Amino acid sequence: MSASSSRLLSGLALLACAPLAHAADAADSGDSARTLDAITVVAEREPGNFDLDRGEIELTQASDLGDLLSNESGVAVGGGSPVAQKVYVRGFEDTLLNVTIDGAQEPAELYHHQTRVQIEPEFIKSIELDAGAGAATAGAGALIGAMRVRTRDAFDLLRPGQDAGVLIKAQAGINGENSAKGVLAGYGRLSDRLGLLATYVYQDGGDYDDGHGDRVKPTAYRHERAQAKLSGLFDAHQFDVSAEQLEDTGTYYERPHMTNFTGRYVLSDHRMRRTTYAYEHRFDPDGDALNLRFNAYRTRSDYQNRRNTTGLLYGWGEQTSTGFDLRNTSARDALSLTYGVDYRSDRLHALQQATPRPFWGRTEQTATVFGAYAQGDWQASPQWKLSAGLRWDDYRHKGESGISAGARNDQARLSPNLSLTWTPVESLSLRAAYSEAFRGVTIREAFFSSLYTHRGDLDGERADNLEIGIAWERDGFFARATAFRQHIDDYISAVYDGASAWGYWENVGQAEVDGYEAEIGQRWERMGWSLGVWNSDNKLAGRPLNDADLGLGTSIGRTWTARFDWQPASARADYAIRARLVEDERNSIAAGAPDKPGYAVVDVMANWNLLGDDRLKLGAAVNNLFDRFYYDHGTYGYQAGTKSYIGFPSPGRELSLSLTYRF
């Protein structure tokens, strides 16, 4: 464990004891001061836009992003080992997605072979995804949408009448060299209006077995996460202040999402770490004119790769992001208007020694973006709803030192959006929407930033998104469908040169996607089912995307999803089945390469309340129930030169068991 981790965890250990010491100060009135947020899926949400609530997260026994998101419409997660997982939304990579955790933006992209979005599922309260360029409130640079993650606080964990508590959880995954996870949390009221939560998660995963029973090496990892969160409830005022640190370490090849297909890759020690400080304040007095929300944050993300044999540095990068978002929502009669300003400042230090020595490089870059926005919803009549919004974003980027020293890229632009929903009858709604999003030149991947040079002549990336949707919901039955077309103009990518410089950042053309998503299902009081399908055809400059389009996306076969949920009348258990079928995808990698083969995966899961309440829970899940061998289409696949798959196959059957006790 690093020294910084030790200091943070020592502080958390002291914080965890505080609720117990102050429990006697609690007042019964505090129990009614907090109403937990209800996360529901309503007819207005299009397929591909979803809310994952805490119940779904616990039921899946999620250990990583793949467990959380793989069965959601419009989303694919590839990579094999958790440290190499990448999220694709409608075929585009998460680097084009605006991701926030408790309101704190997470823009850092560190190393193209490793995940950008580090999220520990254990204390997530909800995950909300809005796919495609959309509302002005989605934030700056949301070219393919926004994903908002909220974490739990002390009030979410306290049972009625409880002033302090402790949560202990043990989880084991049985596959290959197996995995183990331990969770400890202390929480309670410091007074009738203040709550404190302190958590620690440790997970140790070994090399896994694929569907053929073969050991996949090197994929073992270690994951640690710690957080302290103070929450206050004072009449019209509420606030949350939190400090979170995640660290992932492991020994992989230089490219951790690939096998040693060249025979010369060196095992390297990898470490990624993220530390986030976030503050959120909400002010909602009586009346409709004011509903203020203020978020401020500072995020520091860093990575380091060293060759295992010599200790020689391969690559290192550190990015800090500091920013805020201030918004107010006013409502009057049938009109609701949200307006505000946001700002973010990024600074990157990075270096790489992966190339021949003449091309070793370092860089220091800064970037800022200031935005002003407004988004309004007008229920003109019971049948018609109009939504319209506008953002203005001003980007400023500068190379401070190193290979891009002196380069400047400054640009500002407006981004409008408009949608119209018609409800001719109560059960049926039709929607048409058009939106634009703008991402000026900002800091790109840390590793590539110390390898590829800025010349200062780039245009920002502009996205437009057109969607048409239909939804029907009546007596528990629902059917929804969306068709979409999106373009991203002037996409910025790294282009190899090999002359005076290794390469340059350039506008390489237009990226586009055409696709659709559809879902039908039915819900009863204790049972529900759904069947969905989604497909996206992604291109860059007229050609299909392939696995080498790092930072942009890849081609994924048409995907079918199915789910079934059942809770017995005793309400002491939950059972579920999740299944997905991915069809073959035509080869777009290289001449002579095979098509990406399709696959079908079934997961089953259950939770039992052993004492009739939520004090003692037993969870079980079997992922890849039929032990299928497959390569996820989001995983780097075939290499024409060696005529072999160089990415890691997905894990075979894994049994996950967990036991959680709250007291």
Side-chain angles (χ1 to χ4, degrees):
M1 185 184 302
S2 68
S4 59
S5 297
S6 300
R7 288 192 295 270
L8 177 58
L9 296 178
S10 298
L12 293 182
L14 294 174
L15 289 172
C17 298
L20 304 178
H22 292 272
D25 297 333
D28 292 341
S29 61
D31 294 334
S32 61
R34 174 70 168 227
T35 301
L36 298 184
D37 297 332
I39 304 298
T40 57
V41 179
V42 296
E44 287 80 9
R45 295 195 70 80
E46 303 293 325
N49 299 344
F50 58 78
D51 286 338
L52 288 180
D53 63 8
R54 186 62 207 168
E56 175 73 9
I57 295 169
E58 289 185 353
L59 189 59
T60 58
Q61 303 292 301
S63 294
D64 52 47
L65 286 174
D67 295 337
L68 280 174
L69 303 177
S70 290
N71 292 309
E72 298 299 326
S73 178
V75 179
V77 182
S81 171
V83 75
Q85 287 181 344
K86 292 198 173 202
V87 179
Y88 296 87
V89 177
R90 296 178 175 176
F92 285 134
E93 199 172 311
D94 59 65
T95 54
L96 309 177
L97 191 69
N98 194 328
V99 178
T100 59
I101 300 177
D102 288 334
Q105 288 197 22
E106 308 294 337
E109 181 191 1
L110 298 175
Y111 186 46
H112 55 279
H113 304 295
Q114 291 178 321
T115 181
R116 180 181 74 95
V117 184
Q118 297 186 68
I119 300 175
E120 163 56 47
E122 198 59 48
F123 288 94
I124 290 176
K125 182 177 181 178
S126 65
I127 300 180
E128 180 183 359
L129 175 68
D130 289 330
T137 53
L143 296 181
I144 65 166
M147 184 167 71
R148 292 174 284 272
V149 180
R150 298 201 66 83
T151 64
R152 305 167 85 184
D153 59 32
F155 297 106
D156 295 321
L157 290 166
L158 287 168
R159 299 193 305 275
Q162 189 180 30
D163 295 322
V166 174
L167 181 149
I168 301 174
K169 179 177 180 178
Q171 183 171 337
I174 302 173
N175 172 286
E177 295 180 342
N178 303 325
S179 64
K181 183 177 186 177
V183 180
L184 177 64
Y187 48 91
R189 305 180 195 275
L190 301 181
S191 70
D192 60 341
R193 298 293 181 178
L194 289 174
L196 180 65
L197 169 67
T199 69
Y200 175 67
V201 179
Y202 179 86
Q203 186 172 8
D204 197 338
D207 295 323
Y208 64 81
D209 288 350
D210 61 26
H212 288 158
D214 296 325
R215 192 64 43 85
V216 181
K217 296 182 178 182
T219 56
Y221 64 93
R222 188 182 71 182
H223 172 86
E224 292 181 81
R225 186 258 193 190
Q227 184 189 30
K229 190 172 188 178
L230 177 68
S231 302
L233 308 168
F234 298 92
D235 299 323
H237 294 272
Q238 299 182 28
F239 75 85
D240 293 292
V241 57
S242 65
E244 181 189 26
Q245 181 171 289
L246 293 91
E247 184 170 285
D248 286 291
T249 56
T251 299
Y252 313 101
Y253 293 122
E254 295 164 355
R255 303 179 180 184
H257 68 321
M258 292 182 179
T259 62
N260 189 16
F261 68 97
T262 66
R264 58 180 175 81
Y265 283 168
V266 177
L267 285 174
S268 299
D269 296 325
H270 295 245
R271 188 201 71 200
M272 290 191 303
R273 183 170 52 198
R274 172 175 65 80
T275 304
T276 299
Y277 301 95
Y279 176 76
E280 180 176 80
H281 194 104
R282 301 171 295 281
F283 177 55
D284 187 10
D286 293 336
D288 297 327
L290 281 178
N291 187 352
L292 283 167
R293 195 188 81 187
F294 174 71
N295 289 92
Y297 59 88
R298 181 176 177 84
T299 297
R300 177 183 179 274
S301 300
D302 67 84
Y303 88 102
Q304 180 176 281
N305 298 347
R306 289 187 177 273
R307 292 177 171 87
N308 183 263
T309 52
T310 63
L312 181 67
L313 185 70
Y314 184 85
W316 169 84
E318 174 187 296
Q319 179 169 327
T320 57
S321 299
T322 306
F324 70 86
D325 182 355
L326 174 63
R327 65 180 61 184
N328 182 55
T329 300
S330 301
R332 182 174 182 179
D333 299 328
L335 178 64
S336 174
L337 180 64
T338 299
Y339 48 93
V341 293
D342 52 31
Y343 173 82
R344 191 183 78 238
S345 174
D346 303 328
R347 179 175 291 272
L348 172 71
H349 297 266
L351 63 90
Q352 60 80 25
Q353 298 177 171
T355 58
R357 187 178 289 269
F359 294 103
W360 285 7
R362 65 174 185 86
T363 189
E364 180 183 0
Q365 299 178 23
T366 57
T368 62
V369 54
F370 173 80
Y373 57 88
Q375 186 74 36
D377 294 304
W378 179 39
Q379 190 72 53
S381 73
Q383 291 78 36
W384 293 96
K385 180 180 179 180
L386 177 69
S387 180
L390 185 68
R391 279 194 68 90
W392 178 77
D393 292 302
D394 182 15
Y395 282 83
R396 299 178 183 273
H397 170 266
K398 182 180 180 181
E400 302 287 350
S401 64
I403 62 172
S404 294
R408 297 188 66 94
N409 295 278
D410 300 339
Q411 194 172 3
R413 188 178 178 88
L414 290 169
S415 302
N417 69 82
L418 177 68
S419 71
L420 183 64
T421 302
W422 178 41
T423 308
V425 295
E426 185 178 359
S427 303
L428 177 67
S429 64
L430 297 96
R431 176 178 175 268
Y434 175 80
S435 54
E436 296 182 5
F438 173 64
R439 183 173 72 173
V441 180
T442 189
I443 293 174
R444 313 295 285 199
E445 179 196 314
F447 180 84
F448 273 174
S449 289
S450 53
L451 185 60
Y452 290 85
T453 301
H454 276 283
R455 289 185 279 211
D457 57 354
L458 292 176
D459 292 321
E461 297 154 315
R462 296 168 288 116
D464 61 77
N465 183 43
L466 177 64
E467 296 189 7
I468 299 175
I470 183 171
W472 170 272
E473 185 162 359
R474 184 173 181 178
D475 299 329
F477 178 81
F478 62 90
R480 298 189 284 266
T482 299
F484 53 86
R485 168 174 286 184
Q486 178 165 346
H487 302 96
I488 301 174
D489 293 324
D490 296 320
Y491 176 70
I492 299 171
S493 187
V495 178
Y496 174 73
D497 182 88
S500 58
W502 186 267
Y504 297 93
W505 295 102
E506 296 183 6
N507 296 110
V508 297
Q510 183 187 79
E512 60 181 295
V513 59
D514 296 280
Y516 59 85
E517 303 173 65
E519 183 182 23
I520 61 171
Q522 194 165 8
R523 292 187 293 265
W524 297 273
E525 184 178 358
R526 298 189 180 278
M527 188 180 300
W529 67 271
S530 68
L531 177 66
V533 61
W534 68 274
N535 188 54
S536 60
D537 294 320
N538 302 70
K539 296 180 181 178
L540 174 62
R543 63 160 179 83
L545 295 188
N546 62 64
D547 297 339
D549 288 313
L550 300 172
L552 178 57
T554 191
S555 296
I556 297 169
R558 179 163 54 194
T559 301
W560 298 81
T561 59
R563 54 198 303 141
F564 175 79
D565 294 88
W566 174 59
Q567 184 183 73
S570 66
R572 296 181 61 168
D574 294 283
Y575 303 95
I577 301 173
R578 305 283 185 262
R580 68 185 183 277
L581 168 67
V582 182
E583 299 182 14
D584 293 352
E585 176 66 12
R586 189 170 60 184
N587 162 45
S588 62
I589 302 172
D595 293 345
K596 286 185 175 182
Y599 53 89
V601 182
V602 176
D603 304 329
V604 296
M605 54 206 72
N607 268 338
W608 295 274
N609 294 315
L610 300 181
L611 300 179
D613 55 23
D614 61 355
R615 287 182 298 157
L616 183 62
K617 284 187 177 181
L618 174 64
V622 182
N623 296 325
N624 194 358
L625 176 65
F626 299 109
D627 206 18
R628 299 300 189 193
F629 177 88
Y630 69 99
Y631 288 89
D632 192 286
H633 286 187
T635 297
Y636 202 107
Y638 192 83
Q639 208 269 345
T642 61
K643 296 182 178 180
S644 62
Y645 286 91
I646 62 175
F648 289 120
S650 294
R653 182 190 298 116
E654 180 183 39
L655 170 63
S656 179
L657 297 170
S658 69
L659 187 66
T660 305
Y661 183 54
R662 295 170 61 185
F663 60 91

